[in-house]
Amino acid sequence: MSGWSRFGFALLMALLTALFIGLGIWQVERLGEKEALIARVAAQASAAPVDLPPASAWAGLDPTTLSYAPVRIAGHFVPEQTVTVFTSLSDAKGAYGGPGYWVLTAFSLDSGGTIFVNRGFVPQEKRADFASGQGVGAEPVTLTGVARLSEPAGSFTPAANAADRIDYVRDPQRLAALLAPGPAPIAPVTLDLPAGPAGTLPQGGETVVEFTNNHLGYAITWFGFALITPILLVFWLRRQRRSART
């Protein structure tokens, strides 16, 4: 191998080492961000319930400040404004799991505006029993639940089924669009209700407060590559020198 070829290969290995170090540092930074998120959510989840900010504050509200926080609301359900969101419930805390739907009913707030309340999970075959708001009245009530951020639709998220009011993500704006006329303004979060009596539907209390955190393992892997790459380069250069002498 010519001198220029050896130089080019050595440069490539040096660039790879720098790349691996950069990726390792990036994963360490992501680890810090994820740990901060987990700590913040844990603190919010264990805090005392707070009142949902009024509708006049929603435009400037950072919804992440409410993520997984216990939130208190007062008003009444609008049973006819119910939508269902397809899901598959694994590791269910209640008696029901597998393919099914979240039942979300619009809740008109005494302070103005509307929030979608996730009343819980129902199996697929039970959807029709709750799709029109059955099981809930329109009397004034005060509720406390867990605030959840809007779920973004991905590239492969199916379009909503407007005829049957079925969607595939819990996005308040998408859900409101399934209702005619849709309520407005819509809160930027939804509210998960706690579990009711055992065996009752919809099955509340299924909020999962869990975050995947593999960043430490990824960082170790990238730093390991960064360590191994120059070692391999040294061995390769030594072999090239021995080959040149023979």
Side-chain angles (χ1 to χ4, degrees):
M1 183 178 288
S2 68
W4 279 109
S5 297
R6 285 195 296 271
F7 174 78
F9 184 74
L11 179 60
L12 173 62
M13 296 295 276
L15 291 174
L16 284 174
T17 300
L19 173 63
F20 294 148
I21 291 173
L23 290 171
I25 293 173
W26 175 60
Q27 287 297 329
V28 170
E29 293 172 347
R30 292 287 292 118
L31 173 64
E33 293 170 357
K34 183 61 67 69
E35 289 180 340
L37 170 63
I38 292 172
R40 176 175 59 78
V41 167
Q44 288 182 174
S46 60
V50 298
D51 292 328
L52 182 72
S56 59
W58 292 349
L61 177 67
D62 178 5
T64 61
T65 60
L66 294 176
S67 180
Y68 294 101
V71 170
R72 182 173 48 246
I73 57 175
H76 64 274
F77 281 107
V78 186
E80 64 273 17
Q81 293 186 335
T82 294
V83 296
T84 56
V85 177
F86 181 79
T87 188
S88 185
L89 185 60
S90 59
D91 299 324
K93 301 172 187 175
Y96 300 93
Y101 296 87
W102 299 120
V103 179
L104 290 101
T105 299
F107 188 90
S108 180
L109 298 160
D110 288 343
S111 58
T114 296
I115 184 172
F116 278 103
V117 173
N118 181 6
R119 294 162 52 203
F121 172 84
V122 295
Q124 270 186 311
E125 65 274 12
K126 296 290 186 180
R127 177 189 170 275
D129 296 340
F130 297 92
S132 298
Q134 299 94 318
V136 69
E139 65 278 0
V141 64
T142 297
L143 303 173
T144 298
V146 179
R148 297 295 305 276
L149 298 181
S150 172
E151 294 177 343
S155 303
F156 300 102
T157 302
N161 178 346
D164 295 324
R165 292 184 177 177
I166 296 173
D167 210 338
Y168 300 89
V169 289
R170 286 177 285 178
D171 178 338
Q173 296 300 326
R174 277 179 56 126
L175 299 181
L178 296 178
L179 305 174
I186 293 292
V189 296
T190 58
L191 194 74
D192 285 1
L193 290 187
T200 60
L201 290 174
Q203 181 174 282
E206 294 293 343
T207 305
V208 177
V209 186
E210 192 173 278
F211 300 92
T212 302
N213 187 8
N214 298 321
H215 298 293
L216 179 59
Y218 294 151
I220 292 172
T221 299
W222 289 123
F223 286 134
F225 286 155
L227 178 63
I228 291 172
T229 302
I231 294 175
L232 293 177
L233 176 59
V234 170
F235 279 109
W236 181 82
L237 289 173
R238 287 181 178 176
R239 184 175 180 182
Q240 291 298 309
R241 289 174 183 171
R242 285 198 296 267
S243 299
R245 292 171 185 167
T246 60

